[in-house]
Amino acid sequence: MENNNNNNNNKNNKRENNQELHQPLINHAIITSQSYLEDVQGTKLLRKQIWDESKKLWHVAGPAILSRIASFSMNVVTTAFAGHLGDIELAALSIANTVIVGFNFGLLLGMASALETLCGQAFGAKKLHMLGVYMQRSWIVLFLCCFLLLPLYVWSTPILKLVGEPDDVAEMSGYVAIWMIPLHFSFAFVFPIQRFLQSQLKTGIIAWISMAVFVIHVFLSWLLVYVIPMGVVGLCIALNVSWWLLFFGEFAYVAWGGCPDTWSGFSLQAFSGLWEFVKLSAASGVMLCLENWYYRILVLMVGGLQNAAIAVDALSVCMTINGWEMMIPLAFFAATGVRVANELGAGNGKGAKFATTVAVTTSTIIGLIFCALIMILHNKFAVIFSDSVPVLQEVDKLSWLLAVTILLNSVQPVLSGVAIGSGWQAYVAYINIACYYVVGLPLGILMGWVFDSGVTGIWSGMIFGGTALQTIVLAIITVRCDWDKEAEKAVLHVQKFSNPSKPDQLA
């Protein structure tokens, strides 16, 4: 019996010793299992957060892409119809639309972008009644600014002659510019109402109205050129009517119950705080128009080279491709501004940082895809626009620069959207001046004329000295940003520009 008891005790002791020996391994296995489960759960949570943020981003960016392509296509259609009227008509309409209207378009679009900051942050802070007030303030400021810009239309003929345009083209361009004054004033109302709707994520209605108006524009252009032969004046009328239809369609949606929480009629409060609004709008205008003018200067600089006809034609093809693709990053510019402003207005700094990361990553992936397509089709895509062998060969030489430009433009506008959403407009305006006009432009001149590398040197100098440098600077600022502090500033910003009491109604 004693032997049996001793044996049993020995077995128990061995079992306990084995358990003690294996306990660390068991504990490690348990910890590893728990860590694995936590990693899996963390990965699933991150995927869900990315998916949710991507849906919010594309909710704005998707319709914005459609609406911007439709608006851009209206100008393309107008130019195409003008090409069938004659060489002078085509040149006159192109110059008036690109130089005169394009100059004012960039400034007014930039000024309206102040609403992406104010409306986006107010929407995030649930100050919903202020969105309609902000839009009305923007209408007032931009409408008055349109009057200040009128001399560019009235005196466009002598201005164009001064910069070296032929007399017949300058006179016809000036005549066309006068007929585009109604288009000029439509910008003051279309741009603010679109940003008002975007900040509330009501972008679908903008896309539907833009596509409907595009169809109407094509029909009107055909009617006023071929059925009622009004020539270039008919094309101007078609553009005027189409842009005003954009506004009236969107305003009808707003006024007839589409935005019950953010629009309750015209308010006297719109006339208060105009000076602060003017300062923010001006900073936004300078920030965006400096970017808009930069590549227009590129075309003018190339036009000053000797035997530049082929280079200008090739560059025009590249800029047209870049313009079409640019509608996608510009849509992400708007969407990023809205998302960042919404999160900051709600006091959620981490949410704004996450929205920035998702937007930059998404737009960069799209840019890489288009960059690869340009490199693969480097000697083929220009056939859409020209049959000239010298032009096709020149485009082939420039294709790598186009690919780099598209890639940089997939990142830079998104970072500018972060700046808009955060209210950094004045700060970024100084960065744009330094990068584009202090570094990029002189470098382009140096490489193009001093080193005699022609259009390739001018373009590469302006890309790497301007766009690339600006992208790097904005990326550094964004990475080093204290988002919690920006959220606190946004809350104070909303309080500064809004009044918690309900506005008195005029209508």
Side-chain angles (χ1 to χ4, degrees), residues 34-52 354:
Q34 289 175 344
S35 177
Y36 175 75
L37 290 174
E38 288 174 359
D39 289 342
V40 170
Q41 290 173 352
T43 302
K44 288 181 178 179
L45 179 60
L46 179 60
R47 288 177 180 173
K48 185 178 184 303
Q49 289 175 334
I50 293 173
W51 176 249
D52 291 341
F354 189 73

Short mmCIF file of all heavy atoms in Angstrom, two decimals, residues 34-52 354:
data_model
loop_
_atom_site.label_atom_id
_atom_site.label_comp_id
_atom_site.label_asym_id
_atom_site.label_seq_id
_atom_site.Cartn_x
_atom_site.Cartn_y
_atom_site.Cartn_z
N GLN A 34 -4.49 35.80 -28.14
CA GLN A 34 -5.23 37.04 -27.88
C GLN A 34 -4.71 38.18 -28.77
O GLN A 34 -5.48 38.96 -29.31
CB GLN A 34 -5.09 37.43 -26.41
CG GLN A 34 -5.86 36.52 -25.46
CD GLN A 34 -5.60 36.87 -24.00
OE1 GLN A 34 -4.63 37.57 -23.68
NE2 GLN A 34 -6.45 36.37 -23.13
N SER A 35 -3.37 38.23 -28.91
CA SER A 35 -2.76 39.27 -29.75
C SER A 35 -3.21 39.11 -31.21
O SER A 35 -3.51 40.09 -31.89
CB SER A 35 -1.24 39.21 -29.66
OG SER A 35 -0.65 40.14 -30.51
N TYR A 36 -3.26 37.86 -31.67
CA TYR A 36 -3.70 37.59 -33.04
C TYR A 36 -5.14 38.03 -33.26
O TYR A 36 -5.47 38.66 -34.26
CB TYR A 36 -3.54 36.10 -33.35
CG TYR A 36 -4.08 35.70 -34.70
CD1 TYR A 36 -3.40 36.00 -35.86
CD2 TYR A 36 -5.32 35.02 -34.79
CE1 TYR A 36 -3.91 35.64 -37.10
CE2 TYR A 36 -5.83 34.66 -36.02
CZ TYR A 36 -5.13 34.97 -37.17
OH TYR A 36 -5.63 34.63 -38.39
N LEU A 37 -5.99 37.67 -32.25
CA LEU A 37 -7.39 38.07 -32.36
C LEU A 37 -7.54 39.60 -32.37
O LEU A 37 -8.34 40.15 -33.12
CB LEU A 37 -8.19 37.47 -31.19
CG LEU A 37 -8.40 35.96 -31.23
CD1 LEU A 37 -9.08 35.49 -29.94
CD2 LEU A 37 -9.25 35.56 -32.44
N GLU A 38 -6.71 40.27 -31.52
CA GLU A 38 -6.76 41.74 -31.50
C GLU A 38 -6.30 42.33 -32.83
O GLU A 38 -6.87 43.30 -33.32
CB GLU A 38 -5.88 42.26 -30.36
CG GLU A 38 -6.47 42.01 -28.98
CD GLU A 38 -5.51 42.41 -27.87
OE1 GLU A 38 -4.40 42.86 -28.20
OE2 GLU A 38 -5.89 42.27 -26.68
N ASP A 39 -5.23 41.70 -33.43
CA ASP A 39 -4.75 42.17 -34.73
C ASP A 39 -5.81 42.00 -35.80
O ASP A 39 -6.02 42.88 -36.64
CB ASP A 39 -3.48 41.42 -35.14
CG ASP A 39 -2.29 41.81 -34.28
OD1 ASP A 39 -2.36 42.88 -33.64
OD2 ASP A 39 -1.30 41.06 -34.26
N VAL A 40 -6.48 40.84 -35.77
CA VAL A 40 -7.54 40.57 -36.75
C VAL A 40 -8.68 41.58 -36.59
O VAL A 40 -9.18 42.16 -37.56
CB VAL A 40 -8.06 39.12 -36.60
CG1 VAL A 40 -9.32 38.93 -37.45
CG2 VAL A 40 -6.98 38.13 -37.01
N GLN A 41 -9.07 41.79 -35.32
CA GLN A 41 -10.15 42.74 -35.07
C GLN A 41 -9.73 44.15 -35.46
O GLN A 41 -10.52 44.92 -36.02
CB GLN A 41 -10.53 42.70 -33.59
CG GLN A 41 -11.25 41.40 -33.18
CD GLN A 41 -11.46 41.31 -31.68
OE1 GLN A 41 -10.95 42.14 -30.92
NE2 GLN A 41 -12.21 40.29 -31.26
N GLY A 42 -8.45 44.51 -35.17
CA GLY A 42 -7.95 45.83 -35.54
C GLY A 42 -7.92 46.01 -37.05
O GLY A 42 -8.26 47.08 -37.56
N THR A 43 -7.52 44.97 -37.77
CA THR A 43 -7.49 45.03 -39.24
C THR A 43 -8.89 45.19 -39.80
O THR A 43 -9.12 45.99 -40.72
CB THR A 43 -6.84 43.76 -39.81
OG1 THR A 43 -5.52 43.62 -39.27
CG2 THR A 43 -6.78 43.82 -41.32
N LYS A 44 -9.85 44.42 -39.24
CA LYS A 44 -11.23 44.53 -39.69
C LYS A 44 -11.78 45.92 -39.42
O LYS A 44 -12.49 46.51 -40.25
CB LYS A 44 -12.10 43.48 -38.99
CG LYS A 44 -11.85 42.05 -39.47
CD LYS A 44 -12.78 41.07 -38.75
CE LYS A 44 -12.57 39.66 -39.26
NZ LYS A 44 -13.44 38.68 -38.54
N LEU A 45 -11.44 46.48 -38.24
CA LEU A 45 -11.91 47.82 -37.88
C LEU A 45 -11.31 48.86 -38.82
O LEU A 45 -12.02 49.77 -39.28
CB LEU A 45 -11.52 48.14 -36.44
CG LEU A 45 -11.92 49.53 -35.91
CD1 LEU A 45 -13.45 49.71 -35.97
CD2 LEU A 45 -11.41 49.74 -34.50
N LEU A 46 -10.01 48.73 -39.13
CA LEU A 46 -9.36 49.67 -40.04
C LEU A 46 -9.97 49.59 -41.43
O LEU A 46 -10.22 50.63 -42.07
CB LEU A 46 -7.86 49.37 -40.11
CG LEU A 46 -7.04 50.26 -41.04
CD1 LEU A 46 -7.13 51.72 -40.61
CD2 LEU A 46 -5.58 49.80 -41.09
N ARG A 47 -10.22 48.36 -41.91
CA ARG A 47 -10.86 48.20 -43.22
C ARG A 47 -12.23 48.86 -43.25
O ARG A 47 -12.59 49.51 -44.22
CB ARG A 47 -10.98 46.72 -43.56
CG ARG A 47 -9.66 46.04 -43.92
CD ARG A 47 -9.88 44.56 -44.16
NE ARG A 47 -8.63 43.88 -44.50
CZ ARG A 47 -8.52 42.56 -44.63
NH1 ARG A 47 -9.58 41.78 -44.43
NH2 ARG A 47 -7.35 42.03 -44.95
N LYS A 48 -12.98 48.69 -42.16
CA LYS A 48 -14.30 49.30 -42.09
C LYS A 48 -14.21 50.82 -42.09
O LYS A 48 -14.98 51.51 -42.76
CB LYS A 48 -15.05 48.82 -40.84
CG LYS A 48 -16.49 49.32 -40.74
CD LYS A 48 -17.18 48.79 -39.50
CE LYS A 48 -18.65 49.20 -39.47
NZ LYS A 48 -18.80 50.68 -39.54
N GLN A 49 -13.22 51.36 -41.35
CA GLN A 49 -13.05 52.81 -41.30
C GLN A 49 -12.66 53.35 -42.68
O GLN A 49 -13.17 54.40 -43.12
CB GLN A 49 -11.97 53.17 -40.27
CG GLN A 49 -12.40 52.96 -38.83
CD GLN A 49 -11.26 53.20 -37.85
OE1 GLN A 49 -10.08 53.06 -38.19
NE2 GLN A 49 -11.60 53.56 -36.62
N ILE A 50 -11.76 52.64 -43.36
CA ILE A 50 -11.36 53.06 -44.71
C ILE A 50 -12.54 53.01 -45.66
O ILE A 50 -12.76 53.92 -46.47
CB ILE A 50 -10.20 52.18 -45.24
CG1 ILE A 50 -8.94 52.42 -44.41
CG2 ILE A 50 -9.92 52.46 -46.71
CD1 ILE A 50 -7.79 51.48 -44.74
N TRP A 51 -13.32 51.93 -45.56
CA TRP A 51 -14.49 51.78 -46.42
C TRP A 51 -15.51 52.89 -46.16
O TRP A 51 -16.04 53.49 -47.11
CB TRP A 51 -15.12 50.41 -46.20
CG TRP A 51 -16.39 50.18 -46.97
CD1 TRP A 51 -17.65 50.08 -46.46
CD2 TRP A 51 -16.53 50.05 -48.39
NE1 TRP A 51 -18.57 49.88 -47.46
CE2 TRP A 51 -17.90 49.85 -48.66
CE3 TRP A 51 -15.63 50.07 -49.45
CZ2 TRP A 51 -18.39 49.68 -49.95
CZ3 TRP A 51 -16.12 49.91 -50.74
CH2 TRP A 51 -17.48 49.71 -50.98
N ASP A 52 -15.78 53.17 -44.89
CA ASP A 52 -16.75 54.22 -44.54
C ASP A 52 -16.27 55.60 -45.02
O ASP A 52 -17.06 56.38 -45.57
CB ASP A 52 -16.99 54.26 -43.03
CG ASP A 52 -17.73 53.03 -42.51
OD1 ASP A 52 -18.37 52.35 -43.34
OD2 ASP A 52 -17.67 52.75 -41.30
N PHE A 354 -7.54 61.35 -40.80
CA PHE A 354 -7.86 60.10 -41.49
C PHE A 354 -8.47 60.38 -42.86
O PHE A 354 -8.15 59.72 -43.85
CB PHE A 354 -8.81 59.26 -40.64
CG PHE A 354 -9.03 57.87 -41.16
CD1 PHE A 354 -8.03 56.91 -41.05
CD2 PHE A 354 -10.23 57.51 -41.75
CE1 PHE A 354 -8.22 55.63 -41.53
CE2 PHE A 354 -10.43 56.23 -42.24
CZ PHE A 354 -9.42 55.28 -42.12
#
